[in-house]
Amino acid sequence: MAWTKWSYMDHWVTETPQGPQPPSFNRASMDRYVKQLSALGFTGFDTFFFYLPVYAGMYGGVPGFERYLQDSGFDKITGIFSAYPSATRYTAPHVRETHDRIVADCTNTLRMCEGLTGVENFIVMPTSTYHQTEPVTDDTIKVVADLWNRVGKLTLEHGMKTTCHFEFWGAIRTREQIDTFLSYTDPELVHFFCDTAQHTIAGVDPIQLFRDYRDRCTGFHFKDTKNVDEHEAYRTPPDPELMAPQVTRWFYEMGEGGLVDFPALMKEIVRSGYDGWLTVEHDKAELGGGSYAEATAVAKWYIDNVLAEAEAEVRAELEAAR
Amino acid sequence: MKDSLRWSYALNQWNVRLDVFVRHEDQQRALKTVSACGFDHVELASGTGRWDNISRPEVILLNHGSHSGFLDFLRRAEVHGVSSMFWDPQAPAEEEEGYAFRTTANPDDHDAIVEWSKPFVDFLAGVGAEQLVVRPVGSAWMTPPLGADGIKVIGDVWNRIGELTSAAGLGLALHYDCLGAVHTAGELTALLEATDPATVGLALDTAEFTVGGIDPVAYYREHADRVTHVHLKDTRYADTGEEYRMPGAESTMLKGGAGRRIERWFYELGTEGGLVDVPGFVAALRENEFGGWVVVESDHGGNPAELAMLNSWYLQHELGVPKR
């Protein structure tokens, strides 16, 4: 039985009469977008906190949007992504004085999710950009950990796990920093979300990280990269994702000759007994003339063929060992 | 697609210009897209020159070394074969006497056209395909009105080519299009009557029929014994003003240069306002136990991957065809 819990992270750009836009341009664009994901076999949908009011407006509430997804073949909304990539004087995870505001923001997001079938992950970027946060000291990490312990308790009361998605350009990015952060957070309240490309760019092995934090891992972004950050691009102000001088495109879909060993990761996941959702993410797939539609189809082909074979291999091993 | 009907997908929507679908890695992405959408066979479309390395038989073989080399290339993307290939002898090609302009309506051109068909016959037989799909005649605006004799002349050359395809174990399917000089249902039927049912069949394209003013469901029901190949796509418009007669109709009509200025005629299955009764047509195919290939085609309508996925969604959710 091949893995069925594949979800899609809500990055997409489509052609509209007003130029390339997200599918939330209008309901007709959404119809086309959702049908494409469904045709490929995705059954989970992850989205951003800032899209919730948009979808609520289009479909009479976030539960109405979820019902629309379900009518198109989806199981449910599986994850909500919340982030403060830029530190401001209002919101900055490393500034304790802004924590009440961040918690209030999270409360609002959770309120919008009331009535949903069962969102599993409340995915957060634990910090803002490195260059705004540095120097990153032990104390800095402790302050950030305190925030997500608070948010973790809050989201758990709403049935969602707070899970941390580390960016290569974020203030917590090295293996040592991640270990420190996870040691400062409560394992019951704060979990780990493995973005394969982000860790690889930061020089961290995502497979080893998953192996070491299997018990705290609640999800993945399966995406690839062709570059490790060898020029301290992570410190580039204001944004290393699009403005690093040495690398113009960091992220790629699976199966295009990138650095991440997805079959090995898939085997590790199956061996570990993890049974949550696996999420495909394409971030800035349009750079260099690409299209989200084709990137998604090619990635799903890779899942249906290469990863399915890796999964089957391990399942056969496990069966033989019984 | 897991179905009693055999589904294939046309690659022509990716090859929209001379030089945009040439690198093998780009072709692999298209093939993987088709495969991820549930299709394991493809229809090729003829082209010309060194960049048509997935379209022109001689160039395909130059690229892949042999028929089996090309099949290996397809199978890398889990596409298991070629259902068919489209060829228009009226479209000038450097391989066909250096862009010679010839037409099936001229008996003096027949020997050359029969000769031109041979690379396609050989290639399709070599890759285990089933149908050579052809444009039977050029555009109406370029062709004098055809009487019964004119249609018989056209039938003659296809009968000759039908003997070649038949000897090679292939079918030959005449593909009606909305610009062609054989335009009305009566003319099309006359052409079928002028050809040998044993060797020449009809490729019924649901959108082309609809644009041309022929009901594809009704025509199929009347001529099911002659329909050997299907192109399934939708349209939002019928040519109610005889725009196909405008000079340069390939541009003036089909690209909206004049007339009603409709810039896009062909659409994916399930398009809003689509005129084709797709469920009715597919039901008719099932009633007749249609055994040929049903090729889903998007025909230069937008982002090819997007349209392939939308077509796949329609098959899965509206026609109830499981993907695997």
Side-chain angles (χ1 to χ4, degrees):
Chain A
M1 179 69 181
W3 203 280
T4 56
K5 292 164 78 173
W6 285 101
S7 60
Y8 191 80
M9 180 64 207
D10 189 11
H11 291 272
W12 191 277
V13 174
T14 192
E15 202 53 49
T16 79
Q18 296 180 24
Q21 299 280 337
S24 55
F25 177 75
N26 63 25
R27 283 185 64 146
S29 291
M30 285 300 294
D31 281 352
R32 296 171 70 84
Y33 168 46
V34 167
K35 283 178 179 176
Q36 288 173 72
L37 297 179
S38 174
L40 293 175
F42 289 101
T43 52
F45 190 85
D46 280 26
T47 190
F48 293 97
F49 76 102
F50 52 76
Y51 277 146
L52 295 178
V54 177
Y55 292 144
M58 294 174 78
Y59 298 93
V62 179
F65 173 60
E66 188 182 55
R67 283 194 293 277
Y68 158 73
L69 290 173
Q70 289 166 340
D71 288 345
S72 304
F74 281 81
D75 286 351
K76 62 179 183 176
I77 295 175
T78 40
I80 304 294
F81 198 106
S82 181
Y84 298 95
S86 298
T88 67
R89 64 192 176 99
Y90 311 105
T91 54
H94 66 289
V95 178
R96 197 179 295 280
E97 291 70 25
T98 70
H99 286 189
D100 285 349
R101 162 64 190 274
I102 292 173
V103 171
D105 286 353
C106 294
T107 303
N108 280 337
T109 299
L110 291 166
R111 193 175 294 135
M112 295 205 75
C113 294
E114 283 173 6
L116 293 179
T117 302
V119 179
E120 301 189 11
N121 283 323
F122 191 86
I123 310 157
V124 297
M125 286 182 187
T127 70
S128 305
T129 56
Y130 190 94
H131 77 88
Q132 286 178 298
T133 310
E134 64 182 328
V136 180
T137 65
D138 210 55
D139 282 347
T140 314
I141 296 175
K142 181 74 174 61
V143 170
V144 173
D146 287 348
L147 167 66
W148 298 118
N149 277 331
R150 278 180 72 186
V151 172
K153 186 169 183 300
L154 177 70
T155 62
L156 210 54
E157 289 163 4
H158 290 76
M160 294 182 214
K161 289 178 176 169
T162 291
T163 184
C164 292
H165 175 287
F166 302 91
E167 322 299 313
F168 82 88
W169 45 264
I172 297 175
R173 50 184 302 284
T174 66
R175 178 62 200 252
E176 189 183 357
Q177 289 166 338
I178 292 169
D179 288 341
T180 302
F181 173 77
L182 290 174
S183 73
Y184 284 159
T185 48
D186 184 338
E188 299 297 317
L189 303 178
V190 177
H191 301 269
F192 161 57
F193 196 95
C194 184
D195 184 306
T196 52
Q198 296 280 6
H199 290 306
T200 302
I201 296 167
V204 175
D205 178 357
I207 299 175
Q208 188 61 46
L209 201 54
F210 168 65
R211 202 175 283 135
D212 294 342
Y213 289 103
R214 156 69 189 96
D215 292 344
R216 294 180 74 171
C217 184
T218 63
F220 297 82
H221 278 168
F222 274 62
K223 68 174 187 271
D224 212 345
T225 183
K226 296 182 179 178
N227 296 88
V228 173
D229 178 8
E230 293 171 337
H231 304 90
E232 294 197 350
Y234 68 91
R235 303 179 77 166
T236 309
D239 164 63
E241 274 193 318
L242 288 173
M243 298 190 67
Q246 295 87 2
V247 180
T248 54
R249 178 178 173 180
W250 291 100
F251 305 125
Y252 292 84
E253 58 272 24
M254 289 182 281
E256 291 298 296
L259 298 175
V260 178
D261 187 348
F262 289 105
L265 175 62
M266 192 69 196
K267 289 177 181 177
E268 195 68 35
I269 288 170
V270 177
R271 279 195 199 102
S272 77
Y274 174 89
D275 64 353
W277 288 86
L278 304 178
T279 305
V280 170
E281 182 181 47
H282 297 134
D283 198 347
K284 303 167 186 64
E286 78 277 29
L287 291 179
S291 86
Y292 278 89
E294 187 176 78
T296 307
V298 167
K300 194 58 169 56
W301 181 91
Y302 190 84
I303 289 167
D304 293 345
N305 293 279
V306 182
L307 297 189
E309 191 178 316
E311 180 189 353
E313 202 177 298
V314 174
R315 293 212 187 280
E317 283 171 18
L318 295 174
E319 189 63 32
R322 275 189 187 175
Chain B
M1 294 293 173
K2 198 175 174 184
D3 194 16
S4 53
L5 290 172
R6 297 188 300 157
W7 297 91
S8 175
Y9 206 89
L11 286 183
N12 59 347
Q13 59 169 331
W14 274 271
N15 201 5
V16 291
R17 289 198 316 276
L18 192 64
D19 56 358
V20 294
F21 194 55
V22 182
R23 292 201 61 89
H24 288 183
E25 54 266 37
D26 292 337
Q27 294 169 357
Q28 281 288 312
R29 287 171 69 85
L31 293 166
K32 287 176 180 177
T33 297
V34 166
S35 170
C37 288
F39 300 91
D40 61 7
H41 278 68
V42 288
E43 179 170 290
L44 309 178
S46 69
T48 180
R50 68 194 194 280
W51 288 327
D52 266 329
N53 58 1
I54 201 164
S55 306
R56 180 77 209 177
E58 300 91 323
V59 189
I60 294 173
L61 294 173
L62 261 179
N63 264 246
H64 298 285
S66 64
H67 298 108
S68 63
F70 180 59
L71 289 172
D72 288 344
F73 176 72
L74 298 181
R75 287 170 186 151
R76 270 169 51 195
E78 293 296 325
V79 169
H80 299 303
V82 177
S83 60
S84 43
M85 187 167 196
F86 178 82
W87 173 52
D88 175 6
Q90 278 84 203
E94 66 180 37
E95 294 84 355
E96 292 165 0
E97 298 178 65
Y99 297 108
F101 285 84
R102 294 191 183 276
T103 169
T104 55
N106 180 359
D108 293 340
D109 286 341
H110 285 189
D111 286 349
I113 290 173
V114 170
E115 202 59 31
W116 292 356
S117 73
K118 290 178 180 173
F120 292 94
V121 175
D122 291 345
F123 176 77
L124 289 174
V127 297
E130 289 187 23
Q131 292 286 341
L132 175 60
V133 184
V134 296
R135 190 178 191 211
V137 64
S139 296
W141 71 272
M142 299 177 77
T143 312
L146 295 169
D149 287 349
I151 287 177
K152 184 177 176 313
V153 165
I154 294 164
D156 287 345
V157 71
W158 294 118
N159 280 329
R160 289 176 61 186
I161 294 173
E163 286 175 19
L164 292 180
T165 51
S166 190
L170 302 170
L172 175 69
L174 309 183
H175 177 277
Y176 169 92
D177 69 83
C178 64
L179 299 187
V182 170
H183 190 79
T184 65
E187 289 165 349
L188 179 59
T189 303
L191 177 60
L192 290 179
E193 287 169 351
T195 54
D196 182 353
T199 56
V200 182
L202 173 66
L204 196 162
D205 184 313
T206 51
E208 299 276 7
F209 265 56
T210 303
V211 174
I214 307 175
D215 178 345
V217 181
Y219 197 90
Y220 174 69
R221 287 191 182 284
E222 286 171 28
H223 301 275
D225 57 328
R226 295 301 302 271
V227 177
T228 54
H229 195 73
V230 166
H231 281 179
L232 196 63
K233 62 178 187 265
D234 209 343
T235 178
R236 295 181 180 175
Y237 309 100
D239 178 15
T240 52
E242 295 202 338
E243 291 187 35
Y244 76 101
R245 292 189 188 280
M246 291 192 293
E250 288 78 4
S251 171
T252 49
M253 175 179 158
L254 287 185
K255 295 176 182 172
R260 286 185 288 167
R261 298 193 184 279
I262 296 167
E263 293 177 324
R264 178 182 170 187
W265 289 78
F266 301 118
Y267 284 83
E268 68 279 4
L269 306 176
T271 189
E272 194 174 335
L275 299 179
V276 176
D277 176 9
V278 179
F281 182 78
V282 172
L285 291 177
R286 293 191 191 286
E287 284 168 30
N288 285 278
E289 298 180 344
F290 179 71
W293 284 100
V294 185
V295 180
V296 181
E297 193 185 27
S298 303
D299 213 345
H300 305 179
N303 182 308
E306 181 174 336
L307 298 179
M309 287 186 271
L310 290 172
N311 281 322
S312 174
W313 191 91
Y314 188 89
L315 261 62
Q316 293 177 62
H317 292 267
E318 299 295 340
L319 298 181
V321 180
K323 194 162 76 169
R324 311 238 183 254

